[in-house]
Amino acid sequence: MTTAKSDTISTRISKTLADRIISGAIEAGSRLRQDHVAEEFGASHVPVREAFRLLESQGLVVSEPRRGVRVAGFTREEVREVAEMRASLEALALRNAFPHMTKAILDTAEEANRAGDRAPDVYAWEEANRNFHRIILAPCGMPRLLKAIDDLQTASARFLFSGWRAEWEAPTDRDHRAILDALRTGQADMAAAVLARHVQTIGQKRPK
Amino acid sequence: MTTAKSDTISTRISKTLADRIISGAIEAGSRLRQDHVAEEFGASHVPVREAFRLLESQGLVVSEPRRGVRVAGFTREEVREVAEMRASLEALALRNAFPHMTKAILDTAEEANRAGDRAPDVYAWEEANRNFHRIILAPCGMPRLLKAIDDLQTASARFLFSGWRAEWEAPTDRDHRAILDALRTGQADMAAAVLARHVQTIGQKRPK
DNA sequence: ATTACTAAAATTATCTATAATTTCGCAGAA
DNA sequence: TTCTGCGAAATTATAGATAATTTTAGTAAT
């Protein structure tokens, strides 16, 4: 949410646009015109083009050679694809994180989980949910994997905010607790299995 | 290898640099200076910057805000990471490709496999190997997944060419045949399991 | 009414120039 | 010798201008 301090103009533009795409402020399929974006941000279009490339690598826009970029659409198929990739990669990350898991980490994760329970709206809930996943996966120490998961989580969030899912229901939190319990009792494979199933359910709710 | 016809200058530059990084012509850790690259390609540095972003998204270079880009290094850890991600994602792709598998596809894969046997050098072998994997995974029809796998295969190829692995030994081909056999006899899970194990062995040879 | 063609407008991609930042080497002090 | 600070050179990042391509709109022909 908070774009933090990001030195270069391209990244600042990129993050702002990403927020808009994820929140649904810019709808899928609409064109992004570099001059207009540049003017809005008071910049030239060179950093805008680089921001577009950033967004492209996250799968938020698609770019055709001389025809500009447009916000990536997401069909039921694409949502399922992202969910399956997340399930696969998050399970992998969790199995690798397991040997480095400490009580402190699990406690922090539990706190993130509670923050989700207290969340007043879907945006706050999404942030807490994302934090929970990040906290339990980060100890794997595999940066490339974590980056990939992060991009997939962004795509998932986009889906979540799109209104396909009317309410963010409670079962997810139950899953989170089940994962923590499994980790606490040393059942790595069980935890990974629950996590994989948990992530996949995200792609199955409310087929529009 | 053949860069094909790629309209924009950035992509042409990007592909050429990618080839050099993969083949080891540019070694890990060395800086890429935009002016020098621009001069070599007879272009300005604007498209060069975009090419850098492309390479960054593939994980071939790392970029620090005002300090330029350098060729991504690969430690034993990173190689293992890529191998595990490949194993996980290729298994997922294969399970999803299975329902769409046809005899024609399997025959084409077998032909790619034979091409690997006939390969005169490691570069030709790598191309045949990559084709084999692509052919059996493409029917899954999940573009984002296939793109991710493709980038990981590129990283693997880099490792293969780096000389860590002295010779590209035969067991891989045996694995390929085992995968084809499992697919032909309808054992999807078996095929996926062999594929996952097969990919992981790539990261375990010759620890320098 | 619909299609095809042409010209104008808008937009993308690139180049050249400029500003800002970092790197590198060297001088001087501890 | 080793560390610190200053200044020049190199390099990155952005701006402004230009060329090339695509889109749009309007007109004429079927």
Side-chain angles (χ1 to χ4, degrees):
Chain A
M1 200 105 289
T2 51
T3 55
K5 62 110 183 30
S6 22
D7 210 4
T8 147
I9 292 185
S10 337
T11 58
R12 191 162 51 244
I13 295 176
S14 153
K15 285 183 179 166
T16 306
L17 291 180
D19 276 351
R20 287 187 199 166
I21 294 173
I22 295 163
S23 70
I26 316 180
E27 65 182 321
S30 54
R31 285 182 65 173
L32 293 177
R33 269 159 288 214
Q34 52 185 222
D35 282 354
H36 299 186
V37 176
E39 192 181 19
E40 176 188 344
F41 285 87
S44 104
H45 56 259
V46 178
V48 174
R49 292 178 58 80
E50 298 197 27
F52 284 174
R53 284 283 146 79
L54 243 332
L55 295 171
E56 191 181 9
S57 78
Q58 297 175 315
L60 292 177
V61 305
V62 294
S63 158
E64 284 187 288
R66 291 222 164 230
R67 330 187 76 182
V69 307
R70 50 182 65 236
V71 178
F74 48 118
T75 61
R76 217 170 344 288
E77 299 307 312
E78 290 173 86
V79 172
R80 189 182 69 90
E81 182 175 3
V82 168
E84 294 210 22
M85 289 176 73
R86 269 191 70 185
S88 185
L89 292 183
E90 291 204 22
L92 171 63
L94 188 57
R95 280 194 302 271
N96 279 278
F98 183 74
H100 308 104
M101 202 61 74
T102 67
K103 183 169 184 313
I105 295 171
L106 291 173
D107 288 347
T108 313
E110 182 139 10
E111 174 48 37
N113 198 22
R114 274 195 293 271
D117 291 341
R118 290 191 305 268
D121 58 26
V122 68
Y123 297 98
W125 180 85
E126 192 275 332
E127 190 176 344
N129 181 64
R130 174 180 295 228
N131 279 337
F132 175 85
H133 285 255
R134 257 205 271 253
I135 290 165
I136 61 171
L137 300 181
C140 74
M142 298 161 86
R144 183 167 189 152
L145 175 57
L146 290 173
K147 173 69 167 62
I149 289 172
D150 217 61
D151 287 347
L152 292 169
Q153 282 177 336
T154 299
S156 289
R158 212 185 143 202
F159 164 58
L160 174 67
F161 295 149
S162 74
W164 282 26
R165 236 169 124 192
E167 82 282 5
W168 64 102
E169 71 289 337
T172 51
D173 308 303
R174 246 199 304 280
D175 282 348
H176 284 185
R177 280 186 222 297
I179 292 166
L180 288 178
D181 285 346
L183 289 174
R184 285 211 165 88
T185 55
Q187 301 171 278
D189 287 338
M190 165 71 85
V194 174
L195 176 63
R197 187 175 50 71
H198 163 64
V199 169
Q200 283 197 334
T201 63
I202 293 172
Q204 292 168 351
K205 306 286 173 180
R206 292 216 134 239
K208 194 154 198 176
Chain B
M1 201 106 293
T2 49
T3 56
K5 60 111 182 33
S6 23
D7 209 3
T8 147
I9 291 185
S10 334
T11 58
R12 190 162 50 245
I13 294 176
S14 154
K15 285 184 180 166
T16 305
L17 291 179
D19 276 351
R20 287 189 200 164
I21 294 172
I22 296 163
S23 70
I26 315 179
E27 65 183 321
S30 54
R31 284 183 64 175
L32 292 178
R33 270 159 287 215
Q34 52 185 223
D35 281 355
H36 299 185
V37 175
E39 191 181 20
E40 176 189 343
F41 286 89
S44 103
H45 57 257
V46 180
V48 173
R49 290 177 60 80
E50 298 196 26
F52 284 175
R53 286 283 145 78
L54 244 330
L55 296 171
E56 191 181 9
S57 77
Q58 298 176 314
L60 292 177
V61 306
V62 293
S63 160
E64 283 187 289
R66 291 222 164 229
R67 331 186 76 182
V69 307
R70 49 182 65 236
V71 178
F74 48 118
T75 62
R76 221 175 335 293
E77 300 307 313
E78 292 173 85
V79 173
R80 190 183 68 90
E81 182 176 4
V82 169
E84 294 211 22
M85 288 177 72
R86 267 191 72 186
S88 186
L89 291 183
E90 291 205 22
L92 171 64
L94 188 58
R95 281 195 301 273
N96 279 277
F98 184 74
H100 308 104
M101 202 62 74
T102 66
K103 183 170 185 308
I105 295 171
L106 290 173
D107 289 347
T108 313
E110 182 139 11
E111 175 47 39
N113 199 21
R114 274 195 294 270
D117 291 342
R118 292 192 304 268
D121 58 26
V122 69
Y123 296 98
W125 181 85
E126 192 275 331
E127 190 177 344
N129 181 63
R130 174 181 294 230
N131 278 338
F132 175 86
H133 285 254
R134 255 205 271 252
I135 290 166
I136 62 171
L137 301 180
C140 74
M142 297 161 86
R144 183 167 189 152
L145 175 58
L146 290 172
K147 173 68 167 60
I149 290 172
D150 216 62
D151 287 346
L152 292 169
Q153 282 177 336
T154 299
S156 290
R158 212 184 142 202
F159 164 56
L160 174 66
F161 295 150
S162 74
W164 281 25
R165 234 169 127 192
E167 82 283 3
W168 64 99
E169 71 289 336
T172 52
D173 307 303
R174 248 200 301 283
D175 282 348
H176 284 185
R177 281 187 223 295
I179 292 165
L180 287 179
D181 285 347
L183 290 175
R184 285 212 164 87
T185 55
Q187 299 171 279
D189 287 339
M190 164 71 83
V194 174
L195 176 63
R197 186 176 49 70
H198 162 64
V199 169
Q200 284 196 333
T201 64
I202 292 173
Q204 292 167 352
K205 307 284 172 181
R206 293 212 134 242
K208 195 157 199 173

Short mmCIF file of all heavy atoms in Angstrom, two decimals, chain B residues 32-36 45 49 65-66, chain D residues 10-16 21-22:
data_model
loop_
_atom_site.label_atom_id
_atom_site.label_comp_id
_atom_site.label_asym_id
_atom_site.label_seq_id
_atom_site.Cartn_x
_atom_site.Cartn_y
_atom_site.Cartn_z
N LEU B 32 27.41 -4.30 -16.88
CA LEU B 32 27.00 -3.96 -18.24
C LEU B 32 26.77 -2.45 -18.26
O LEU B 32 25.91 -1.95 -17.54
CB LEU B 32 25.72 -4.70 -18.62
CG LEU B 32 25.84 -6.21 -18.77
CD1 LEU B 32 24.49 -6.82 -19.10
CD2 LEU B 32 26.85 -6.55 -19.86
N ARG B 33 27.54 -1.74 -19.08
CA ARG B 33 27.40 -0.30 -19.11
C ARG B 33 26.59 0.11 -20.32
O ARG B 33 26.92 -0.25 -21.46
CB ARG B 33 28.77 0.37 -19.09
CG ARG B 33 29.21 0.63 -17.66
CD ARG B 33 30.67 0.80 -17.54
NE ARG B 33 31.38 -0.45 -17.69
CZ ARG B 33 32.49 -0.75 -17.03
NH1 ARG B 33 32.99 0.10 -16.16
NH2 ARG B 33 33.09 -1.89 -17.23
N GLN B 34 25.54 0.87 -20.08
CA GLN B 34 24.57 1.14 -21.13
C GLN B 34 25.15 1.88 -22.32
O GLN B 34 24.81 1.59 -23.47
CB GLN B 34 23.35 1.90 -20.56
CG GLN B 34 23.71 3.11 -19.76
CD GLN B 34 22.45 3.74 -19.14
OE1 GLN B 34 22.26 4.94 -19.14
NE2 GLN B 34 21.58 2.90 -18.61
N ASP B 35 26.08 2.80 -22.06
CA ASP B 35 26.67 3.52 -23.19
C ASP B 35 27.48 2.59 -24.09
O ASP B 35 27.40 2.67 -25.31
CB ASP B 35 27.59 4.65 -22.67
CG ASP B 35 26.78 5.86 -22.23
OD1 ASP B 35 25.55 5.83 -22.43
OD2 ASP B 35 27.37 6.80 -21.70
N HIS B 36 28.24 1.71 -23.46
CA HIS B 36 29.07 0.80 -24.24
C HIS B 36 28.21 -0.13 -25.07
O HIS B 36 28.47 -0.33 -26.26
CB HIS B 36 29.97 -0.01 -23.30
CG HIS B 36 30.90 0.85 -22.50
ND1 HIS B 36 31.87 0.33 -21.67
CD2 HIS B 36 31.03 2.19 -22.40
CE1 HIS B 36 32.53 1.31 -21.10
NE2 HIS B 36 32.04 2.45 -21.51
N HIS B 45 21.05 4.79 -25.71
CA HIS B 45 20.96 3.95 -24.53
C HIS B 45 19.55 3.76 -24.01
O HIS B 45 19.33 3.01 -23.07
CB HIS B 45 21.86 4.50 -23.42
CG HIS B 45 21.54 5.91 -23.05
ND1 HIS B 45 22.30 6.96 -23.47
CD2 HIS B 45 20.53 6.43 -22.35
CE1 HIS B 45 21.78 8.08 -23.01
NE2 HIS B 45 20.70 7.78 -22.33
N ARG B 49 18.44 0.42 -22.00
CA ARG B 49 17.86 0.35 -20.66
C ARG B 49 16.66 -0.59 -20.62
O ARG B 49 16.51 -1.37 -19.68
CB ARG B 49 17.43 1.75 -20.20
CG ARG B 49 18.57 2.69 -19.92
CD ARG B 49 18.06 4.06 -19.55
NE ARG B 49 17.23 4.03 -18.35
CZ ARG B 49 17.71 3.98 -17.13
NH1 ARG B 49 19.01 3.94 -16.95
NH2 ARG B 49 16.91 3.95 -16.10
N PRO B 65 19.49 0.57 -8.14
CA PRO B 65 18.94 1.87 -8.56
C PRO B 65 19.86 2.80 -9.33
O PRO B 65 19.68 2.96 -10.51
CB PRO B 65 18.47 2.46 -7.25
CG PRO B 65 17.95 1.28 -6.53
CD PRO B 65 18.85 0.13 -6.92
N ARG B 66 20.82 3.35 -8.76
CA ARG B 66 21.63 4.30 -9.55
C ARG B 66 23.04 3.77 -9.81
O ARG B 66 23.96 4.54 -10.08
CB ARG B 66 21.73 5.65 -8.83
CG ARG B 66 20.45 6.41 -8.77
CD ARG B 66 20.65 7.88 -9.04
NE ARG B 66 19.39 8.53 -9.34
CZ ARG B 66 19.21 9.32 -10.39
NH1 ARG B 66 20.18 9.55 -11.21
NH2 ARG B 66 18.04 9.88 -10.59
P DA D 10 36.78 9.43 -18.61
OP1 DA D 10 37.75 8.59 -19.32
OP2 DA D 10 36.16 10.59 -19.28
"O5'" DA D 10 35.63 8.49 -18.03
"C5'" DA D 10 35.94 7.63 -16.93
"C4'" DA D 10 34.66 7.06 -16.35
"O4'" DA D 10 33.97 8.08 -15.59
"C3'" DA D 10 33.67 6.54 -17.38
"O3'" DA D 10 33.24 5.25 -17.00
"C2'" DA D 10 32.52 7.56 -17.34
"C1'" DA D 10 32.58 8.04 -15.90
N9 DA D 10 32.06 9.39 -15.69
C8 DA D 10 32.37 10.53 -16.39
N7 DA D 10 31.75 11.61 -15.96
C5 DA D 10 30.98 11.15 -14.91
C6 DA D 10 30.09 11.79 -14.02
N6 DA D 10 29.82 13.10 -14.08
N1 DA D 10 29.48 11.04 -13.08
C2 DA D 10 29.76 9.73 -13.04
N3 DA D 10 30.58 9.01 -13.81
C4 DA D 10 31.17 9.78 -14.73
P DT D 11 32.34 4.35 -17.96
OP1 DT D 11 32.75 2.95 -17.81
OP2 DT D 11 32.29 5.00 -19.31
"O5'" DT D 11 30.90 4.52 -17.28
"C5'" DT D 11 30.78 4.31 -15.87
"C4'" DT D 11 29.38 4.67 -15.42
"O4'" DT D 11 29.27 6.10 -15.27
"C3'" DT D 11 28.28 4.26 -16.41
"O3'" DT D 11 27.35 3.44 -15.73
"C2'" DT D 11 27.67 5.58 -16.86
"C1'" DT D 11 27.98 6.49 -15.68
N1 DT D 11 28.03 7.93 -16.03
C2 DT D 11 27.34 8.83 -15.24
O2 DT D 11 26.70 8.49 -14.25
N3 DT D 11 27.44 10.14 -15.63
C4 DT D 11 28.14 10.64 -16.73
O4 DT D 11 28.14 11.84 -16.98
C5 DT D 11 28.83 9.65 -17.52
C7 DT D 11 29.61 10.06 -18.74
C6 DT D 11 28.74 8.36 -17.13
P DT D 12 26.12 2.79 -16.49
OP1 DT D 12 26.17 1.36 -16.19
OP2 DT D 12 26.10 3.27 -17.89
"O5'" DT D 12 24.86 3.43 -15.74
"C5'" DT D 12 24.87 3.49 -14.32
"C4'" DT D 12 23.84 4.49 -13.84
"O4'" DT D 12 24.22 5.82 -14.27
"C3'" DT D 12 22.42 4.25 -14.37
"O3'" DT D 12 21.51 4.33 -13.30
"C2'" DT D 12 22.22 5.39 -15.37
"C1'" DT D 12 23.09 6.48 -14.79
N1 DT D 12 23.58 7.49 -15.76
C2 DT D 12 23.31 8.82 -15.53
O2 DT D 12 22.68 9.21 -14.55
N3 DT D 12 23.81 9.68 -16.46
C4 DT D 12 24.54 9.37 -17.60
O4 DT D 12 24.94 10.23 -18.37
C5 DT D 12 24.78 7.95 -17.78
C7 DT D 12 25.55 7.48 -18.98
C6 DT D 12 24.30 7.08 -16.87
P DA D 13 19.95 3.99 -13.49
OP1 DA D 13 19.43 3.44 -12.24
OP2 DA D 13 19.84 3.22 -14.74
"O5'" DA D 13 19.29 5.42 -13.73
"C5'" DA D 13 19.30 6.35 -12.67
"C4'" DA D 13 18.59 7.63 -13.09
"O4'" DA D 13 19.40 8.33 -14.06
"C3'" DA D 13 17.22 7.41 -13.75
"O3'" DA D 13 16.28 8.27 -13.13
"C2'" DA D 13 17.46 7.75 -15.21
"C1'" DA D 13 18.57 8.76 -15.13
N9 DA D 13 19.44 8.81 -16.31
C8 DA D 13 20.02 7.75 -16.96
N7 DA D 13 20.76 8.10 -18.00
C5 DA D 13 20.66 9.47 -18.02
C6 DA D 13 21.22 10.45 -18.88
N6 DA D 13 22.02 10.16 -19.90
N1 DA D 13 20.91 11.74 -18.62
C2 DA D 13 20.12 12.03 -17.59
N3 DA D 13 19.54 11.20 -16.72
C4 DA D 13 19.86 9.93 -16.99
P DT D 14 14.72 8.14 -13.49
OP1 DT D 14 13.98 8.33 -12.25
OP2 DT D 14 14.52 6.95 -14.33
"O5'" DT D 14 14.49 9.43 -14.40
"C5'" DT D 14 14.84 10.70 -13.88
"C4'" DT D 14 14.90 11.72 -14.98
"O4'" DT D 14 15.93 11.37 -15.92
"C3'" DT D 14 13.63 11.85 -15.82
"O3'" DT D 14 13.05 13.12 -15.52
"C2'" DT D 14 14.10 11.76 -17.27
"C1'" DT D 14 15.59 11.96 -17.15
N1 DT D 14 16.38 11.30 -18.22
C2 DT D 14 17.07 12.08 -19.12
O2 DT D 14 17.07 13.29 -19.08
N3 DT D 14 17.77 11.38 -20.07
C4 DT D 14 17.86 10.01 -20.19
O4 DT D 14 18.53 9.49 -21.08
C5 DT D 14 17.12 9.25 -19.22
C7 DT D 14 17.14 7.76 -19.26
C6 DT D 14 16.43 9.92 -18.29
P DA D 15 11.66 13.57 -16.24
OP1 DA D 15 10.92 14.39 -15.27
OP2 DA D 15 11.01 12.40 -16.85
"O5'" DA D 15 12.19 14.52 -17.39
"C5'" DA D 15 13.12 15.53 -17.07
"C4'" DA D 15 13.51 16.31 -18.32
"O4'" DA D 15 14.43 15.51 -19.11
"C3'" DA D 15 12.35 16.65 -19.24
"O3'" DA D 15 12.42 18.03 -19.58
"C2'" DA D 15 12.54 15.76 -20.46
"C1'" DA D 15 14.03 15.52 -20.46
N9 DA D 15 14.40 14.22 -21.02
C8 DA D 15 14.02 12.99 -20.57
N7 DA D 15 14.51 11.98 -21.25
C5 DA D 15 15.27 12.60 -22.23
C6 DA D 15 16.05 12.09 -23.28
N6 DA D 15 16.19 10.78 -23.52
N1 DA D 15 16.68 12.98 -24.07
C2 DA D 15 16.54 14.28 -23.83
N3 DA D 15 15.83 14.88 -22.87
C4 DA D 15 15.22 13.98 -22.10
P DG D 16 11.22 18.71 -20.37
OP1 DG D 16 11.13 20.08 -19.85
OP2 DG D 16 10.04 17.81 -20.33
"O5'" DG D 16 11.72 18.78 -21.89
"C5'" DG D 16 12.97 19.39 -22.18
"C4'" DG D 16 13.32 19.20 -23.64
"O4'" DG D 16 13.71 17.82 -23.87
"C3'" DG D 16 12.17 19.49 -24.62
"O3'" DG D 16 12.68 20.21 -25.73
"C2'" DG D 16 11.69 18.10 -25.02
"C1'" DG D 16 12.99 17.31 -24.97
N9 DG D 16 12.81 15.89 -24.77
C8 DG D 16 11.98 15.26 -23.86
N7 DG D 16 12.04 13.95 -23.92
C5 DG D 16 12.97 13.71 -24.92
C6 DG D 16 13.44 12.48 -25.45
O6 DG D 16 13.14 11.33 -25.11
N1 DG D 16 14.38 12.68 -26.47
C2 DG D 16 14.79 13.90 -26.92
N2 DG D 16 15.68 13.90 -27.90
N3 DG D 16 14.35 15.06 -26.45
C4 DG D 16 13.44 14.88 -25.46
P DT D 21 8.09 2.25 -40.06
OP1 DT D 21 9.00 1.12 -40.26
OP2 DT D 21 7.60 3.07 -41.21
"O5'" DT D 21 6.80 1.72 -39.27
"C5'" DT D 21 6.88 1.49 -37.86
"C4'" DT D 21 5.54 1.73 -37.23
"O4'" DT D 21 5.28 3.15 -37.14
"C3'" DT D 21 4.34 1.15 -38.00
"O3'" DT D 21 3.80 0.10 -37.23
"C2'" DT D 21 3.38 2.32 -38.16
"C1'" DT D 21 3.89 3.34 -37.15
N1 DT D 21 3.63 4.76 -37.51
C2 DT D 21 2.79 5.50 -36.71
O2 DT D 21 2.24 5.05 -35.72
N3 DT D 21 2.62 6.81 -37.10
C4 DT D 21 3.20 7.43 -38.21
O4 DT D 21 2.97 8.61 -38.46
C5 DT D 21 4.06 6.59 -39.00
C7 DT D 21 4.73 7.18 -40.21
C6 DT D 21 4.23 5.31 -38.62
P DT D 22 2.56 -0.77 -37.77
OP1 DT D 22 2.76 -2.15 -37.31
OP2 DT D 22 2.36 -0.48 -39.21
"O5'" DT D 22 1.34 -0.14 -36.95
"C5'" DT D 22 1.47 0.03 -35.55
"C4'" DT D 22 0.33 0.89 -35.03
"O4'" DT D 22 0.45 2.23 -35.55
"C3'" DT D 22 -1.06 0.40 -35.42
"O3'" DT D 22 -1.87 0.37 -34.26
"C2'" DT D 22 -1.54 1.44 -36.43
"C1'" DT D 22 -0.82 2.69 -35.95
N1 DT D 22 -0.62 3.74 -36.99
C2 DT D 22 -1.13 5.00 -36.78
O2 DT D 22 -1.76 5.31 -35.78
N3 DT D 22 -0.87 5.90 -37.79
C4 DT D 22 -0.17 5.68 -38.96
O4 DT D 22 -0.01 6.57 -39.78
C5 DT D 22 0.34 4.33 -39.11
C7 DT D 22 1.11 3.99 -40.35
C6 DT D 22 0.09 3.44 -38.14
#
